Amino acid sequence: MFDMTRTQSSHYDICIIGCGPGGFAGAMRALDLGKQVCVVEKAQIGGTGVMWGALASKTMWELAKDFCVASQTSRGYRAHAITVDYGAMRNTVLTAVREKQDQMRTQLKAFSPEKWNGPGSVTLKRGHGEFKSPSRLIVTRSSRKTEEITADFFLIATGSKPRSLPGVVIDQQRVIDSDGVLRLKSFPQRLMIVGAGIVGCEYATIFSSFGRTSVSLLDHEHRILPFEDEDISRFVGDHLRRNGVDIMHSALLCQLKPKQSCLEIEINQPNTENRFIEVDALLLSIGRVPNLGGLGLGKAGIHCDENGYLPTDENCRVSGNIYAAGDVTAHPALVNLAETEGRYAIKHMYGVSRRPLRYDNMSTVMFFYPPVAAVGLNEKQCREQGIAHRVAYYANSLVNRAIAMRSVDGFVKIIVSDDDEQKILGMRAAGPQVSSTIMTVALLMDQKKGIRDVLKSVHPHPTMSEGIQECLRLLRHKSIYKPRAFPNEIKVRSWRP
């Protein structure tokens, strides 16, 4: 690991605490503006978004998907005696992680004061940062040497860590959280996942797809992904069960008892006697909490809200000269959102913001099998906000590209305002290539387009985006295929307060 210590003044235009996606993106935007930037990082370059989270888990998902496809016999080909080795798979994931970390390190070094004459520069300080005042930060290195950093502005982007469960000790061997998945030495024969949010369902998808692990998914809600509409929850749940996952709804983990060869877990569900289940490993996935310990926030004149997050205004500012981006804020914990907030905070510091930061068109992809993508409001949120809306549902089984790919599971669901403008409020889609097609609707939402304007464009054929086109036509009663002929595949409904 290289160390770039300035020999001159330790004052910078901007000091960024945390070199994850939000901090790194913010540093590069500040460099664009010709600013002298200091980045303080005590752990892994890339943060959770690279090392333990999005990149690592999605690399695992890609490998699991490929293995699942290779194991199928319905496409006309057959692979005999296909196997997977956890160690080799793990090394592939770590190789992907290191590639991204090396890219980030390369860029930090290229624009360090030793390598770059400006305008601007980026200096990386390895160590733990703690505020002493709103303009002073003490950086403590692993050698316990300290250095004082002063700056005109600070950006806190220290990310988050897995939430713990009282009474459950994480040893990252048999009882792990999402940060410990890559520390497993082999596929557990029996794995219980506690928590059926996005991360829990993604890991249930991954481990069940490799065919080496019997997976049970425990959650205290009555359905998985409770923040989404029931059709999404049902779609994902059905496919998890098809993959062999045992989903236990309205269930609580009462007690965990380590034994020599396994873990004994006591489960409570309504109207039944407590069950005792033996597993080889338990993965705790019950959300994440901001990583703000030891920052000395009080000395900087700032405090967390009642839920432990940093409260920010519409400009990502916490107070005065201190801003925050990413998982430390109360907004969704998404890499793309952290990067956007990091860049936006820097722009606002120097008055180059031209429009407010919008959160209603932030798209996300849930890596199940098949994957699910979301942008904007869902039906549940529209009802909660009292928004009159219309919904069109169009199944992938009618989309030529999906038929050609032999991957017809999934659908497109678009929600528009129930008025003459019919502005797009949100979309949910499941199936192949949704990570790309979701951006079509995100861009339309950003432009505040009604579907009448949108339908002036013609999508290429055969593509998955034609499902979006037909879904929009459906809302104008102009779809090629009609609900009368395909009542289960094509649906239109409306809701008013």
Side-chain angles (χ1 to χ4, degrees):
M1 198 67 67
F2 59 88
D3 184 12
M4 301 176 289
T5 305
R6 293 169 68 94
T7 56
Q8 59 265 38
S9 171
S10 59
H11 182 80
Y12 298 86
D13 296 318
I14 304 163
C15 177
I16 298 174
I17 310 171
C19 196
F24 185 80
M28 295 308 122
R29 195 67 187 95
L31 181 70
D32 295 339
L33 299 176
K35 305 302 176 182
Q36 305 295 327
V37 185
C38 175
V39 178
V40 178
E41 175 56 65
K42 69 174 181 179
Q44 295 278 354
I45 297 295
T48 298
V50 172
M51 185 64 208
W52 309 115
L55 180 59
S57 64
K58 276 52 180 182
T59 305
M60 286 186 72
W61 179 86
E62 290 287 351
L63 297 172
K65 175 178 67 72
D66 289 348
F67 182 88
C68 197
V69 171
S71 302
Q72 291 178 4
T73 59
S74 60
R75 300 186 177 211
Y77 49 76
R78 183 188 297 272
H80 293 281
I82 182 171
T83 61
V84 58
D85 176 78
Y86 191 87
M89 183 275 294
R90 175 181 179 274
N91 289 339
T92 301
V93 174
L94 290 175
T95 297
V97 168
R98 293 183 186 118
E99 283 179 16
K100 179 50 62 178
Q101 288 181 319
D102 287 346
Q103 291 168 2
M104 297 175 76
R105 278 192 287 260
T106 296
Q107 183 147 299
L108 289 168
K109 193 168 186 178
F111 291 102
S112 67
E114 293 82 1
K115 299 287 185 180
W116 172 250
N117 294 324
S121 68
V122 182
T123 299
L124 176 65
K125 302 281 188 183
R126 301 310 304 264
H128 173 77
E130 181 179 355
F131 283 104
K132 294 302 177 182
S133 77
S135 60
R136 294 173 56 234
L137 188 82
I138 298 298
V139 178
T140 304
R141 302 175 184 273
S142 58
S143 62
R144 300 201 177 276
K145 291 182 179 179
T146 61
E147 181 179 0
E148 181 178 283
I149 303 296
T150 62
D152 297 333
F153 294 99
F154 285 85
L155 174 63
I156 302 173
T158 49
S160 62
K161 58 186 177 182
R163 186 187 301 277
S164 59
L165 187 66
V168 177
V169 178
I170 304 292
D171 61 13
Q172 303 295 24
Q173 296 180 19
R174 293 197 295 180
V175 182
I176 63 175
D177 55 29
S178 58
D179 288 359
V181 172
L182 292 178
R183 299 183 187 182
L184 291 173
K185 303 300 183 184
S186 61
F187 285 106
Q189 289 187 352
R190 300 162 298 179
L191 172 67
M192 175 175 288
I193 300 174
V194 179
I198 293 176
V199 175
C201 290
E202 284 185 349
Y203 277 116
T205 300
I206 290 167
F207 279 97
S208 62
S209 293
F210 279 119
R212 296 284 301 276
T213 302
S214 174
V215 180
S216 54
L217 183 61
L218 181 149
D219 194 66
H220 69 281
E221 298 282 354
H222 69 281
R223 62 183 175 91
I224 64 172
L225 307 174
F227 52 88
E228 278 295 348
D229 292 331
E230 289 195 15
D231 52 4
I232 291 291
S233 296
R234 186 168 53 252
F235 178 84
V236 176
D238 288 347
H239 281 81
L240 285 173
R241 292 187 187 90
R242 196 178 302 174
N243 236 25
V245 177
D246 177 22
I247 303 176
M248 292 177 278
H249 295 297
S250 303
L252 296 175
L253 189 155
C254 297
Q255 189 176 10
L256 172 66
K257 183 178 180 181
K259 293 187 173 182
Q260 185 173 356
S261 60
C262 67
L263 299 170
E264 184 182 80
I265 299 173
E266 183 181 357
I267 303 298
N268 173 266
Q269 286 180 285
N271 305 318
T272 62
E273 293 185 358
N274 286 8
R275 299 167 58 191
F276 293 87
I277 301 175
E278 291 186 348
V279 299
D280 301 295
L282 181 137
L283 168 58
L284 199 62
S285 179
I286 56 172
R288 303 183 67 85
V289 294
N291 205 8
L292 294 168
L295 285 180
L297 298 178
K299 294 178 181 178
I302 58 177
H303 301 277
C304 301
D305 64 17
E306 62 274 12
N307 295 314
Y309 295 97
L310 287 176
T312 56
D313 63 16
E314 67 275 12
N315 300 309
C316 302
R317 179 158 52 187
V318 181
S319 177
N321 65 324
I322 300 177
Y323 291 69
D327 294 5
V328 294
T329 73
H331 297 123
L334 302 170
V335 167
N336 54 338
L337 186 51
E339 291 178 342
T340 301
E341 288 180 334
R343 292 167 59 85
Y344 191 88
I346 299 298
K347 292 198 300 180
H348 186 264
M349 292 174 190
Y350 293 97
V352 297
S353 303
R354 293 205 172 116
R355 58 179 181 173
L357 181 59
R358 292 183 57 191
Y359 290 90
D360 60 353
N361 66 338
M362 292 287 179
S363 54
T364 183
V365 181
M366 296 167 259
F367 285 80
F368 313 134
Y369 190 59
V372 174
V375 65
L377 299 175
N378 58 31
E379 293 181 77
K380 179 181 178 181
Q381 292 167 326
C382 286
R383 290 193 295 270
E384 290 172 348
Q385 297 178 30
I387 300 173
H389 59 276
R390 298 187 71 218
V391 183
Y393 172 101
Y394 196 87
N396 286 351
S397 57
L398 295 171
V399 178
N400 285 16
R401 183 60 189 272
I403 294 172
M405 295 171 70
R406 310 311 300 141
S407 185
V408 296
D409 283 342
F411 57 88
V412 173
K413 184 175 76 170
I414 297 178
I415 306 169
V416 300
S417 58
D418 192 8
D419 53 25
D420 292 337
E421 289 187 273
Q422 290 191 306
K423 285 187 177 178
I424 299 175
L425 302 176
M427 168 175 151
R428 297 297 183 272
Q433 301 181 9
V434 291
S435 58
S436 300
T437 56
I438 194 71
M439 275 311 299
T440 302
V441 170
L443 288 170
L444 295 174
M445 290 178 61
D446 192 45
Q447 297 167 7
K448 298 184 178 180
K449 293 289 187 181
I451 62 175
R452 187 180 291 106
D453 293 326
V454 173
L455 287 172
K456 293 176 182 177
S457 301
V458 178
H459 292 243
H461 176 82
T463 60
M464 290 305 300
S465 69
E466 286 179 293
I468 296 174
Q469 178 177 251
E470 283 302 296
C471 206
L472 293 170
R473 285 174 175 170
L474 186 60
L475 288 161
R476 300 287 297 165
H477 308 289
K478 296 180 179 179
S479 61
I480 295 174
Y481 288 91
K482 308 298 183 183
R484 180 177 176 80
F486 298 95
N488 294 321
E489 291 80 11
I490 305 175
K491 303 171 186 176
V492 181
R493 54 182 175 267
S494 61
W495 183 89
R496 283 188 170 275

